[in-house]
């Protein structure tokens, strides 16, 4: 471990060492646990550490020593989980005191898949409470239970949300991989702001059962890591049908080999739409220009594009999510009998708790209480319009310009943590793919001072392998990522 650089090591690197016997899973796990003990008091990314982590790692070592071979591609690899994903042996709280009750009865299916692949589950990460769906004035990375996760590059800056703990943890090398979730921007935003890679998969590629919901139309879990190849390996483990998740009914029915799709020459001759967000600022423009230069250098053909109807899309999205949150949360709370059982009870709980509303309110909760049922014709029309606008903005743009993918900045420079003003990031590039249910991969692309900027590669439904391949090729060509400096503030 003295010679192993965790920041630069990929899963294939670690697997080679583990298989050769020059590294043990116990040593690797203890190294990450040591980093959590050493650094997380400053970052506050990890909410719970699994006390069985070293025992899990020892079981992995025994399998190799006995000649049984690894269980799967993640055998012995330490992984963190966002704390809105059910685990039978650890709390699942969504950052709220209201869910700090008995753990769920069962693992979420994606957790079962990780265990079956041999992953060592290190623990749970902090998040923007209720996955950033409690208030329009929220501060990303804050939860009543976990406090404020900070950006490991500059500690007074926001990590973006809501998978803030997952992004900050992998940026600071507190785990090899972390699992996040996204409804709209909650993987690609913190991935970009914390300088790591992350994929929001096609909705329905990975089961959402056992995850605290926002929108059954948009929610999806996905991996976050320092290297795109680690995303590909982990997504291959997570993907698959779930009879309890209707979104997986359209699953293609085959196991994609995302690693085999990582062709280093895939960008050569590829037509890549370049979407510049209005008013994103000169600094982000400069990173986008550097991105275009890199794409040209490796043989891609950049094509300027402008995705239409973004304002109309946003106007239809939020009211739809209020109705979906009300419905989905009631179903989830029924699986947690020790917790409040209705949204109205949660609102009352927060009013009585001394911490829950100390930083911002719960206007999303209040709007959701008043939202119509999912059978309401107005709701159904609004959701259909949002989906149609989102899919058309991507599909028609790609068809008209004969594009293979679209690239767009994932984030602006991380903003100061400020509970008076709340979140400030206004890039807003995640919505078309999020509402359409299409895949997005964010990958580090550059810096504004010490603050990372990511670029998102977007394409159509089930084009996950393609966007991963483009992101990996860009990552290799740009070599833009660097480890966080843990600066206390900007000079």
């Amino acid at each position: 471990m003295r010679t192993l650089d965790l920041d630069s090591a990929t899963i294939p690197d670690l697997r080679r060492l583990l298989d050769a016997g020059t590294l043990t899973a116990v040593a690797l796990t203890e190294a990450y646990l040591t980093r959590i003990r050493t650094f997380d008091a400053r970052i506050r990314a990890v909410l719970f550490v699994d006390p069985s982590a070293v025992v899990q790692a020892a079981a992995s070592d025994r399998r190799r020593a006995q000649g049984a071979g690894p269980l799967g591609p993640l055998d012995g690899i330490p992984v963190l989980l966002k704390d809105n994903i059910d685990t039978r042996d650890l709390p699942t709280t969504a950052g709220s005191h209201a869910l700090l009750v008995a753990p769920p009865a069962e693992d979420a299916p994606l957790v079962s898949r990780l265990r079956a692949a041999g992953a060592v589950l290190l623990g749970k990460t902090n998040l923007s409470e209720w996955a950033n769906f409690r208030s329009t004035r929220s501060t990303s990375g804050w939860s009543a239970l976990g406090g404020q996760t900070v950006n490991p590059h500059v500690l007074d800056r926001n990590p973006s949300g809501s998978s803030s703990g997952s992004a900050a943890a992998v940026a600071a090398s507190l785990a090899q991989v972390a699992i996040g979730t996204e409804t709209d921007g909650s993987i690609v935003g913190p991935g970009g702001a914390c300088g790591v890679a992350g994929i929001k998969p096609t909705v329905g590629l990975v089961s959402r059962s056992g995850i605290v919901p926002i929108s059954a139309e948009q929610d999806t879990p996905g991996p976050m890591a320092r290297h795109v190849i680690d995303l590909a390996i982990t997504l291959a483990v997570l993907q698959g049908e779930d009879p309890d998740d209707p979104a997986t009914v359209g699953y293609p029915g085959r196991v994609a080999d995302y690693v085999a799709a990582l062709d280093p020459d895939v960008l050569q001759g590829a037509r890549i739409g370049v979407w510049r967000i209005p008013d994103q600022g000169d600094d982000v423009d400069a990173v986008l220009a550097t991105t275009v230069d890199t794409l040209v250098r490796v043989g891609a053909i950049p094509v300027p594009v402008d995705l239409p109807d973004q304002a109309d899309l946003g106007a239809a999205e939020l009211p739809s999510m209020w109705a979906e949150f009300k419905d989905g949360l009631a179903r989830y709370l029924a699986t947690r009998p020790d917790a409040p059982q209705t949204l109205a009870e949660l609102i009352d709980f927060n009013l009585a708790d001394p911490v829950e509303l100390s930083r911002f309110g719960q206007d999303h909760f209040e709007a959701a209480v008043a939202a119509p049922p999912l059978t309401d014709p107005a709701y159904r029309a609004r959701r259909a319009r949002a989906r149609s606008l989102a899919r058309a903005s991507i599909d028609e743009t790609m068809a008209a310009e004969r594009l293979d993918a679209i690239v767009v900045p994932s984030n602006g420079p991380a903003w100061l943590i400020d509970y008076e003003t709340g979140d400030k990031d206004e890039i807003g590039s995640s919505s078309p793919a999020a509402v359409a249910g299409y895949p997005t991969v964010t990958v580090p692309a550059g810096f504004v001072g010490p603050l990372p900027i990511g670029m998102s590669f977007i394409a159509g439904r089930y084009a996950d392998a393609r966007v991963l391949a483009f992101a990996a090729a860009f990552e290799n060509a740009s070599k833009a990522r660097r480890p966080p400096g843990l600066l206390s503030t900007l000079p």
Side-chain angles (χ1 to χ4, degrees), residues 106-132:
E106 298 179 349
D107 287 333
L110 77 83
V111 176
S112 298
R113 288 179 177 274
L114 288 169
R115 293 192 198 274
V120 175
L121 301 185
L122 282 182
K124 310 290 281 289
T125 59
N126 196 27
L127 68 160
S128 308
E129 186 171 319
W130 296 103
N132 228 355

Tab-separated table of all heavy atoms in Angstrom, residues 106-132:
chain	number	residue	atom	x	y	z
A	106	GLU	N	-34.816	-5.165	3.705
A	106	GLU	CA	-34.068	-5.800	2.619
A	106	GLU	C	-33.140	-4.789	1.961
A	106	GLU	O	-33.395	-3.582	1.975
A	106	GLU	CB	-35.021	-6.359	1.555
A	106	GLU	CG	-35.963	-7.441	2.053
A	106	GLU	CD	-36.894	-7.925	0.957
A	106	GLU	OE1	-36.930	-7.271	-0.117
A	106	GLU	OE2	-37.587	-8.934	1.163
A	107	ASP	N	-32.080	-5.308	1.348
A	107	ASP	CA	-31.238	-4.487	0.484
A	107	ASP	C	-32.017	-4.069	-0.761
A	107	ASP	O	-32.851	-4.835	-1.272
A	107	ASP	CB	-30.014	-5.281	0.011
A	107	ASP	CG	-28.978	-5.487	1.102
A	107	ASP	OD1	-28.903	-4.656	2.022
A	107	ASP	OD2	-28.236	-6.482	1.010
A	108	ALA	N	-31.726	-2.879	-1.275
A	108	ALA	CA	-32.178	-2.528	-2.621
A	108	ALA	C	-31.562	-3.514	-3.616
A	108	ALA	O	-30.447	-4.007	-3.398
A	108	ALA	CB	-31.752	-1.105	-2.970
A	109	PRO	N	-32.259	-3.836	-4.714
A	109	PRO	CA	-31.693	-4.774	-5.693
A	109	PRO	C	-30.294	-4.406	-6.162
A	109	PRO	O	-29.459	-5.290	-6.367
A	109	PRO	CB	-32.716	-4.740	-6.825
A	109	PRO	CG	-34.014	-4.450	-6.141
A	109	PRO	CD	-33.659	-3.486	-5.041
A	110	LEU	N	-30.013	-3.112	-6.312
A	110	LEU	CA	-28.664	-2.759	-6.780
A	110	LEU	C	-27.618	-3.112	-5.729
A	110	LEU	O	-26.475	-3.461	-6.070
A	110	LEU	CB	-28.586	-1.293	-7.190
A	110	LEU	CG	-28.492	-0.190	-6.137
A	110	LEU	CD1	-27.061	0.031	-5.645
A	110	LEU	CD2	-29.014	1.123	-6.714
A	111	VAL	N	-27.981	-3.043	-4.448
A	111	VAL	CA	-27.057	-3.437	-3.387
A	111	VAL	C	-26.818	-4.945	-3.430
A	111	VAL	O	-25.686	-5.420	-3.277
A	111	VAL	CB	-27.591	-2.998	-2.011
A	111	VAL	CG1	-26.677	-3.485	-0.890
A	111	VAL	CG2	-27.720	-1.477	-1.956
A	112	SER	N	-27.887	-5.692	-3.686
A	112	SER	CA	-27.732	-7.145	-3.834
A	112	SER	C	-26.802	-7.476	-4.988
A	112	SER	O	-25.987	-8.412	-4.898
A	112	SER	CB	-29.100	-7.799	-4.055
A	112	SER	OG	-29.947	-7.592	-2.936
A	113	ARG	N	-26.893	-6.722	-6.071
A	113	ARG	CA	-26.007	-6.958	-7.222
A	113	ARG	C	-24.553	-6.644	-6.868
A	113	ARG	O	-23.633	-7.358	-7.281
A	113	ARG	CB	-26.466	-6.118	-8.412
A	113	ARG	CG	-27.763	-6.619	-9.055
A	113	ARG	CD	-28.176	-5.733	-10.218
A	113	ARG	NE	-29.371	-6.250	-10.869
A	113	ARG	CZ	-29.368	-7.161	-11.835
A	113	ARG	NH1	-28.221	-7.632	-12.292
A	113	ARG	NH2	-30.494	-7.580	-12.357
A	114	LEU	N	-24.338	-5.587	-6.116
A	114	LEU	CA	-22.974	-5.259	-5.687
A	114	LEU	C	-22.409	-6.354	-4.792
A	114	LEU	O	-21.261	-6.781	-4.952
A	114	LEU	CB	-22.965	-3.919	-4.951
A	114	LEU	CG	-23.185	-2.665	-5.805
A	114	LEU	CD1	-23.424	-1.452	-4.918
A	114	LEU	CD2	-22.006	-2.414	-6.733
A	115	ARG	N	-23.209	-6.825	-3.839
A	115	ARG	CA	-22.735	-7.894	-2.958
A	115	ARG	C	-22.426	-9.152	-3.767
A	115	ARG	O	-21.411	-9.826	-3.522
A	115	ARG	CB	-23.787	-8.193	-1.889
A	115	ARG	CG	-24.027	-7.091	-0.873
A	115	ARG	CD	-24.865	-7.618	0.271
A	115	ARG	NE	-25.489	-6.592	1.061
A	115	ARG	CZ	-24.935	-5.958	2.090
A	115	ARG	NH1	-23.685	-6.232	2.442
A	115	ARG	NH2	-25.620	-5.052	2.777
A	116	ALA	N	-23.302	-9.477	-4.725
A	116	ALA	CA	-23.093	-10.680	-5.531
A	116	ALA	C	-21.836	-10.590	-6.378
A	116	ALA	O	-21.226	-11.612	-6.725
A	116	ALA	CB	-24.303	-10.932	-6.425
A	117	ALA	N	-21.422	-9.359	-6.719
A	117	ALA	CA	-20.191	-9.157	-7.492
A	117	ALA	C	-18.965	-9.057	-6.607
A	117	ALA	O	-17.856	-8.836	-7.105
A	117	ALA	CB	-20.314	-7.901	-8.348
A	118	GLY	N	-19.134	-9.197	-5.279
A	118	GLY	CA	-18.004	-9.204	-4.362
A	118	GLY	C	-17.580	-7.857	-3.829
A	118	GLY	O	-16.559	-7.764	-3.142
A	119	ALA	N	-18.330	-6.786	-4.133
A	119	ALA	CA	-17.938	-5.454	-3.669
A	119	ALA	C	-17.881	-5.400	-2.149
A	119	ALA	O	-18.685	-6.028	-1.458
A	119	ALA	CB	-18.913	-4.405	-4.199
A	120	VAL	N	-16.948	-4.639	-1.631
A	120	VAL	CA	-16.866	-4.364	-0.200
A	120	VAL	C	-17.632	-3.065	0.049
A	120	VAL	O	-17.229	-2.002	-0.438
A	120	VAL	CB	-15.407	-4.211	0.260
A	120	VAL	CG1	-15.343	-3.796	1.725
A	120	VAL	CG2	-14.647	-5.516	0.042
A	121	LEU	N	-18.735	-3.143	0.775
A	121	LEU	CA	-19.552	-1.958	1.037
A	121	LEU	C	-18.984	-1.231	2.252
A	121	LEU	O	-19.097	-1.701	3.384
A	121	LEU	CB	-21.005	-2.357	1.248
A	121	LEU	CG	-21.643	-3.107	0.066
A	121	LEU	CD1	-23.121	-3.350	0.312
A	121	LEU	CD2	-21.434	-2.359	-1.252
A	122	LEU	N	-18.359	-0.082	1.995
A	122	LEU	CA	-17.692	0.676	3.055
A	122	LEU	C	-18.676	1.408	3.946
A	122	LEU	O	-18.403	1.638	5.123
A	122	LEU	CB	-16.745	1.712	2.449
A	122	LEU	CG	-15.401	1.265	1.910
A	122	LEU	CD1	-14.634	2.482	1.405
A	122	LEU	CD2	-14.595	0.544	2.964
A	123	GLY	N	-19.818	1.845	3.391
A	123	GLY	CA	-20.761	2.616	4.177
A	123	GLY	C	-21.640	3.470	3.292
A	123	GLY	O	-21.816	3.191	2.103
A	124	LYS	N	-22.193	4.527	3.896
A	124	LYS	CA	-23.178	5.387	3.226
A	124	LYS	C	-22.673	6.828	3.204
A	124	LYS	O	-22.007	7.294	4.151
A	124	LYS	CB	-24.527	5.333	3.973
A	124	LYS	CG	-25.054	3.936	4.282
A	124	LYS	CD	-25.513	3.184	3.053
A	124	LYS	CE	-26.883	3.570	2.551
A	124	LYS	NZ	-27.990	3.124	3.399
A	125	THR	N	-23.002	7.534	2.137
A	125	THR	CA	-22.556	8.922	1.984
A	125	THR	C	-23.673	9.899	2.307
A	125	THR	O	-24.861	9.617	2.132
A	125	THR	CB	-22.061	9.197	0.559
A	125	THR	OG1	-23.122	8.931	-0.379
A	125	THR	CG2	-20.849	8.338	0.229
A	126	ASN	N	-23.249	11.075	2.758
A	126	ASN	CA	-24.183	12.171	2.981
A	126	ASN	C	-24.739	12.645	1.639
A	126	ASN	O	-24.190	12.356	0.571
A	126	ASN	CB	-23.475	13.325	3.702
A	126	ASN	CG	-24.448	14.324	4.312
A	126	ASN	OD1	-25.572	13.989	4.648
A	126	ASN	ND2	-24.000	15.555	4.478
A	127	LEU	N	-25.816	13.404	1.697
A	127	LEU	CA	-26.491	13.862	0.485
A	127	LEU	C	-27.238	15.139	0.802
A	127	LEU	O	-27.437	15.481	1.968
A	127	LEU	CB	-27.475	12.802	-0.020
A	127	LEU	CG	-28.719	12.498	0.832
A	127	LEU	CD1	-29.794	11.825	-0.011
A	127	LEU	CD2	-28.391	11.604	2.027
A	128	SER	N	-27.649	15.837	-0.227
A	128	SER	CA	-28.609	16.921	-0.020
A	128	SER	C	-29.899	16.277	0.480
A	128	SER	O	-30.447	15.389	-0.165
A	128	SER	CB	-28.876	17.659	-1.325
A	128	SER	OG	-27.671	18.067	-1.931
A	129	GLU	N	-30.372	16.705	1.642
A	129	GLU	CA	-31.471	15.992	2.303
A	129	GLU	C	-32.661	15.771	1.367
A	129	GLU	O	-33.027	16.643	0.581
A	129	GLU	CB	-31.923	16.766	3.540
A	129	GLU	CG	-32.947	16.014	4.351
A	129	GLU	CD	-33.250	16.657	5.689
A	129	GLU	OE1	-32.303	17.132	6.354
A	129	GLU	OE2	-34.423	16.678	6.065
A	130	TRP	N	-33.235	14.540	1.459
A	130	TRP	CA	-34.333	14.128	0.579
A	130	TRP	C	-33.959	14.343	-0.881
A	130	TRP	O	-34.786	14.696	-1.712
A	130	TRP	CB	-35.637	14.840	0.925
A	130	TRP	CG	-36.155	14.492	2.290
A	130	TRP	CD1	-36.080	15.248	3.412
A	130	TRP	CD2	-36.818	13.270	2.666
A	130	TRP	NE1	-36.637	14.576	4.477
A	130	TRP	CE2	-37.104	13.360	4.048
A	130	TRP	CE3	-37.198	12.119	1.965
A	130	TRP	CZ2	-37.746	12.341	4.752
A	130	TRP	CZ3	-37.830	11.108	2.659
A	130	TRP	CH2	-38.112	11.220	4.037
A	131	ALA	N	-32.681	14.114	-1.198
A	131	ALA	CA	-32.168	14.227	-2.566
A	131	ALA	C	-32.469	15.595	-3.173
A	131	ALA	O	-32.774	15.726	-4.344
A	131	ALA	CB	-32.716	13.111	-3.449
A	132	ASN	N	-32.355	16.627	-2.307
A	132	ASN	CA	-32.534	18.023	-2.731
A	132	ASN	C	-33.955	18.324	-3.175
A	132	ASN	O	-34.172	19.201	-4.018
A	132	ASN	CB	-31.539	18.413	-3.836
A	132	ASN	CG	-30.860	19.732	-3.530
A	132	ASN	OD1	-31.176	20.400	-2.552
A	132	ASN	ND2	-29.904	20.109	-4.368
